Each structure stands twice: as C-alpha cells, then as structure tokens.
C-alpha cells in the first residue's frame, strides 16, 4: 500500500531534529535529534553556540549544521525508515542567523560527490567562518543607524513589521559590512539558516520564504518584497547578495541527486520552502485561526499568535511576521527562557521535580517578591547589560527565587503582549519546559486563559512536515484546509488542558502593575515603586 510520508527538519540553536509523519495514518513515525554539543563536540559549542565578549557576540558554525544534517540522515537510514517513499520535505531554522557565501557556493552544490561527506566538500564556500545567530546582541550601533536612515521608529515598524533588533539579519549584515569590508565584498550570497539548509537539499541557492524574510528588517511586510529603502539603509549592493523571496508554501524544486544517491531518497521528493522556527511552530501547534496564541518555552521563550489583520507594536518590542498560511503572526521573543530557569535550578542544586514541588508549595504572588530576570542580555524589554534584580528578597532565598523567575517570565510576557489586538482565547504551550504542569499553571493564572499542553516538544519540525504535506496535496489538487490538517495531529486530551484559577485573577492583575513599575524603575529611570509593592504585600499577604 502506498503511504504518504512527509519529513520536517528543524535546525534549532542546540540540535537538528527530524520529524517523519505518515499522513495516510495520521501518525508520527519518528522524532529524532542530533544534539550539537554531544554529537559534534569538535565544534566546541556550549548549548550549540560560540559565545564571546561577555555573551554579546554569539555565533554558531554553519559547517556544524551541515555535518549534523548528514549524521541525522545516516541515523534515519540505519533505522530503516522509508526515505525513498517521502513525498515532500520542508524545514525550519532558528530565525535571523545569517550565512555568508562566496561564488563557489552554487557550483559546489551542483557538483557534490555522493561518495564523499558533505562537510568535506563545503569547507571553502564561506566568506565568514561562523554565523551570527539570534542570541547575538552586538549590533546596537547598526540598529540605530538603520532606524535613523529609515526615518525613525514608526517608519521602521511600518515598513519591516519590527523595530530594528540586534539579532535581526539586517543589522548583523551591516555590522559585517562595516567591520569586515573586504569579506563583505567577497560575499556573493547571504542566506538565513533556513534558506542555507534548504539550498543544500536543493543543490542550488534557494529562495528565502516570507516568514523568515520578515525577521531581517529588510523585507517590506505589506508587499513581501525586499524593500529598497531598507536595503540601502543596511549595506551597499545588498540586493544582489540576497536570494529571491517566496511564499512559505511554494515548491522550490526537487531533492538534489546527492541525497538520492547517498541516502536513498526518491528523486521525485518535492522540497517546500523552509521557514523560521516560529512560523513553523505556528503550524506545529495548530495556530491556524484567530484567537489562538502559543507560548514556546525553549532556549528562548516566545509568545506568538495567529494574526488575520496586520497590526503593529508601535512601542517596537514585538514583531509581525508572515504566517505559513499567507496570513500574519505576532511574535515576541524573550532571551531569558530555559537558560534562566536552569540558572536558578542549578544554583540551588534542584532537579525539575524539586523545582515543580516548590512551585506547588509557594503562593501565587510570591509574598510580593519581584524578580527582573536578566541573566543574559534581554531582547524584550531591551537589556544589554545582564543583571538579575530582586525586590523584597535575596539571592539565597530558594523558594523566592524559584517562584520569582517563573512569575517574572510570565508577567513580562503578559505585559509585552498587551499590544496584540486580536483577543486571545486559548494559549497552546510547547517547548521543553512545557512538560512542567506547575509552570503552565502559573502561566495560565497570570494570563487568566486556558492553556493546552501538548505532548510534542518538536513543534517546529512537525510544523515543517505538515507544511510540506499541505503543499504536496495542494499540488495534486487534493486540497485539505489548514485547520483540518493540523487537527489530525493535535490530539489534545482533557487532562492536558490547564484552567486558570479565577481566584488569582485580581492578584495577578495587581502584580502586573507592580511588575510594570519595576521595569520602568530599572530600565526607564521611573519612580521607585517600593511603597506600591509593600501595599501589594499588605493586600494579599497581610504584613
Ligand atoms: C525569534 C527568535 C528566536 C529564534 C530561535 O525572533 O529570535 O525564537 O528563532 O528560536
């Protein structure tokens, strides 16, 4: 019997993951990951990255991603998975990261020898050995320069969908142009992580999809074309170096002979444009209609939602990207996600069970203990010099710190998502930490919204697999709509729904105001809200 297999790949910060699905049976056949630190130690990464300059400069090695791709396919072959029956492949990449290539890139991809490892053949295609990734926060100067050239905050947001951000590709490209002029001139193509890896599968330079393109400060969010003003504000001759843009749902070609010969894929395997991890997760967690938002608790924490009608965060903290469906999505990215939670867990020598136990035993509102959790430079709100602030408690108060970090993360998420106009009725939780029910209960209480917890923690790779399936069926005129497609894989069970406890609604509304004032106090020279915090303590804890 013919089976409809589809493959989704996800090159995230710490690992490369494959999710293989069978649409004839609506099942996931395998989820398999290559962890960079563990399986490719010779790249010397920590949590998948190379960090310098006190955490401000964060790069990764594109050859490591290539080597991981081969390791991953080798493992799938060894597991005797039916690679030759896969109908279509798509993928996902950590957003914003840029790969700089010379003019041997295309000829090299065209002439790959399937007897030799990829990594040996791609050594000489780069003009920049390492790629700046989304965790990099070293381009404040370039952000300011570009924003100024575009006419300030408002026009920048109106054109690109976002303020300029340190990690966005445009400012990163400008920094390379300013600091490594000769290498910039030698660069013939600049790819994103997603389009770089899709190029390798395709055997030639691949387009960049609108979803990931929107995270560059270079694409016009309304016309979905490279924006001349933004290109000029960033670096000279940039248009020639950028691949074409394409819809996220477009077929970009068939898999290159290298992968057919080396791993046994069918030469008929269709490739669908890759996208960023957040647009992919939008599909992977089933956000195909308005009113639905997701929180992804991974290396970074993100809050994102499906958006039917374009609207912007004029404060410049959130982003609007194109959704894989052709609609829009909002995204807010918090860098102090898992690594911040782990910093507290490890400081007190806890495991995740102990951590959950403390969350269960401590009261909502944390006796008015407020943390501003900037263990790393933060994206939202912008904090370039990492410092952890504690009000009403000290760094050795274990319980205060455990609840403090979690409440801080979700209060900040609620505060900084206030601009999103389409009302959220349901939140879907995904990412590593979403298996922790205590964490999600706090999120649910703070947002006063029901949260669906999913079994899947590979939502980006699953989203990529589902996207490739959607395009494949559209191409053979067996149309399925997005919601019907994603629902086949989103089997939410009743015990995975977390209900907000209404009892804490008012408390968290009030605590949000305390938190808002502390952010203002620390980051914007606002008034010291100590008395306001004490009033909160008195109101809810009586002392
Ligand atoms: C989104 C962002 C991160 C990366 C890595 O803007 O920077 O979520 O995509 O996951």
């Amino acid at each position: 019997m013919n089976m409809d297999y589809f493959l989704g790949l996800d090159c995230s910060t710490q690992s490369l993951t494959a999710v293989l699905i069978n649409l004839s049976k609506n099942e996931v056949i395998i989820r398999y990951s290559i962890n960079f630190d563990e399986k490719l130690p010779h790249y010397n990464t920590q949590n998948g990255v190379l960090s310098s300059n006190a955490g401000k400069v964060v790069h990764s090695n594109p050859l490591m991603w290539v080597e991981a791709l081969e390791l991953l396919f080798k493992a799938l072959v060894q597991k005797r998975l039916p690679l030759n029956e896969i109908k279509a492949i798509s993928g996902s990449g950590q957003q914003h990261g840029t790969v700089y290539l010379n003019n041997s890139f295309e000829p090299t991809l065209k002439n790959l020898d399937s007897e030799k490892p990829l990594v040996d053949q791609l050594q000489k295609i780069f003009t920049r050995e390492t790629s700046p990734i989304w965790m990099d926060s070293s381009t404040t100067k370039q952000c300011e320069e570009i924003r100024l050239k575009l006419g300030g905050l408002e026009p920048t947001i109106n054109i690109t969908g976002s303020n300029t951000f340190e990690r966005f590709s445009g400012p990163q490209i400008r920094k390379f142009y300013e600091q490594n002029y000769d290498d910039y001139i030698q660069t013939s193509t600049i790819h994103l992580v997603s389009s770089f890896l899709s190029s390798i599968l395709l055997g030639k330079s691949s387009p960049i999809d609108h979803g990931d393109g929107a995270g560059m400060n270079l694409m016009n969010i309304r016309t979905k074309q490279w924006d001349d003003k933004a290109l000029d504000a960033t670096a000279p001759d940039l248009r020639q170096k950028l691949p074409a843009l394409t819809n996220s749902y477009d077929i970009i070609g068939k898999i290159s002979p290298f992968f057919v010969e080396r791993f046994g894929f069918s030469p008929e395997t269709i490739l669908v444009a890759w996208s960023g991890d957040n647009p992919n997760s939008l599909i992977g967690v089933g956000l195909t209609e308005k009113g639905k938002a997701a929180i992804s608790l991974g290396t970074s924490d993100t809050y994102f939602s499906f958006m039917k009608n374009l609207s912007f965060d004029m404060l410049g903290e959130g982003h609007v990207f194109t959704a894989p469906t052709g609609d829009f999505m909002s995204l807010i990215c918090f860098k102090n996600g898992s690594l911040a939670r782990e910093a507290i867990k490890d400081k007190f020598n806890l495991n995740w069970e102990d951590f959950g136990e403390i969350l269960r035993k401590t009261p909502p509102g944390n006796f008015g203990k407020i943390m501003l959790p900037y263990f790393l430079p933060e994206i939202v709100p912008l904090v370039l010099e990492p410092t952890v602030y504690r009000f009403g408690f000290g760094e050795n108060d274990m319980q205060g710190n455990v609840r403090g970090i979690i409440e801080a993360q979700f209060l900040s998420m609620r505060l900084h998502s206030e601009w999103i106009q389409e009302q959220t009725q349901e939140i879907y939780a995904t990412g590593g930490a979403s298996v922790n029910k205590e964490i999600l209960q706090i999120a649910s209480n703070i947002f006063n919204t029901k949260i669906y917890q999913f079994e899947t923690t590979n939502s980006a790779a699953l989203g990529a697999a589902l996207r490739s399936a959607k395009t494949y069926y559209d191409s053979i005129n067996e149309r399925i709509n997005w919601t019907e497609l994603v629902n086949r894989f989103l089997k939410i069970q009743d015990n995975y729904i977390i209900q907000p406890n209404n009892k804490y609604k008012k408390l968290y509304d009030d605590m949000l105001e305390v938190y808002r004032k502390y952010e203002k106090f620390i980051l914007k020279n606002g008034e010291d809200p100590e008395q306001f915090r004490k009033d909160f303590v008195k109101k809810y804890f009586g002392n």
Side-chain angles (χ1 to χ4, degrees), residues 12-13 93-96 134-135 167-168 276-278 300-302 319 321 331 333 379:
S12 75
T13 316
Q94 47 175 309
Q95 294 196 255
H96 319 297
W134 67 275
M135 293 172 84
R167 70 192 190 287
F168 273 41
D277 54 351
N278 294 294
S300 66
D301 285 350
T302 52
H319 319 297
F321 297 152
L331 177 105
C333 180
I379 297 169

Side-chain angles (χ1 to χ4, degrees), residues 359-431:
L359 292 179
R360 248 193 313 277
K361 287 191 171 149
T362 45
N366 206 14
F367 302 105
K369 298 171 186 177
I370 300 277
M371 182 191 286
L372 299 186
Y374 314 131
F375 291 80
L376 304 164
E378 183 50 78
I379 297 169
V380 175
L382 182 64
V383 178
L384 293 170
E385 302 301 332
T387 315
V388 179
Y389 300 89
R390 295 174 177 84
F391 303 97
F393 71 121
E395 63 174 320
N396 294 324
D397 170 352
M398 180 171 72
Q399 300 195 337
N401 277 278
V402 168
R403 182 166 273 276
I405 174 74
I406 301 299
E407 288 190 339
Q409 288 178 327
F410 293 111
L411 285 168
S412 175
M413 226 178 238
R414 178 171 155 188
L415 181 62
H416 296 283
S417 58
E418 280 174 342
W419 63 274
I420 298 171
Q421 286 173 8
E422 290 169 7
Q423 271 255 316
T424 302
Q425 268 113 29
E426 302 170 345
I427 296 178
Y428 294 25
T430 174

Side-chain angles (χ1 to χ4, degrees), residues 14 47 135 298-299 335-344 376:
Q14 309 202 26
N47 300 316
M135 293 172 84
T299 309
K335 202 195 280 185
N336 284 278
S338 288
L339 298 180
R341 288 184 285 274
E342 272 161 28
I344 294 291
L376 304 164

Side-chain angles (χ1 to χ4, degrees), residues 490-538:
L490 299 176
K491 295 180 180 106
I492 301 165
Q493 295 150 22
D494 280 351
N495 56 344
Y496 285 90
I497 302 177
I498 291 155
Q499 297 286 351
N501 190 333
N502 259 325
K503 210 164 86 187
Y504 302 119
K505 179 178 179 317
K506 183 83 183 89
L507 176 143
Y508 279 125
D509 286 350
D510 288 349
M511 195 175 189
L512 184 73
E513 296 315 312
V514 181
Y515 193 87
R516 188 192 308 271
K517 285 185 193 297
Y518 272 104
E519 256 196 16
K520 264 207 184 127
F521 170 52
I522 293 298
L523 305 175
K524 302 218 166 104
N525 277 326
E527 257 175 57
D528 184 348
E530 182 60 7
Q531 191 52 48
F532 197 76
R533 190 185 69 77
K534 283 189 173 146
D535 293 344
F536 171 83
V537 175
K538 203 178 215 168

Side-chain angles (χ1 to χ4, degrees), residues 56-122:
K56 269 203 177 156
V57 173
V58 185
H59 284 214
S60 196
N61 194 324
L63 275 176
M64 178 177 79
W65 303 327
V66 169
E67 205 172 333
L69 186 68
E70 278 216 291
L71 276 185
L72 183 74
F73 285 163
K74 251 189 219 159
L76 299 185
V77 171
Q78 270 166 10
K79 290 178 189 301
R80 298 180 181 281
L81 292 164
L83 300 191
N84 61 339
E85 289 184 54
I86 292 173
K87 297 262 193 301
I89 303 177
S90 187
S92 152
Q94 47 175 309
Q95 294 196 255
H96 319 297
T98 34
V99 183
Y100 299 76
L101 300 142
N102 60 31
N103 58 14
S104 74
F105 174 53
E106 289 236 46
T108 308
L109 288 188
K110 215 178 257 161
N111 297 311
L112 288 174
D113 177 351
S114 61
E115 299 293 318
K116 295 187 189 145
L118 259 183
V119 68
D120 294 351
Q121 302 181 67
L122 299 186

Side-chain angles (χ1 to χ4, degrees), residues 54 63 204 240 250 277 322 339 438:
L63 275 176
K204 62 178 188 199
Q240 288 103 284
D250 282 344
D277 54 351
T322 310
L339 298 180
E438 287 75 28

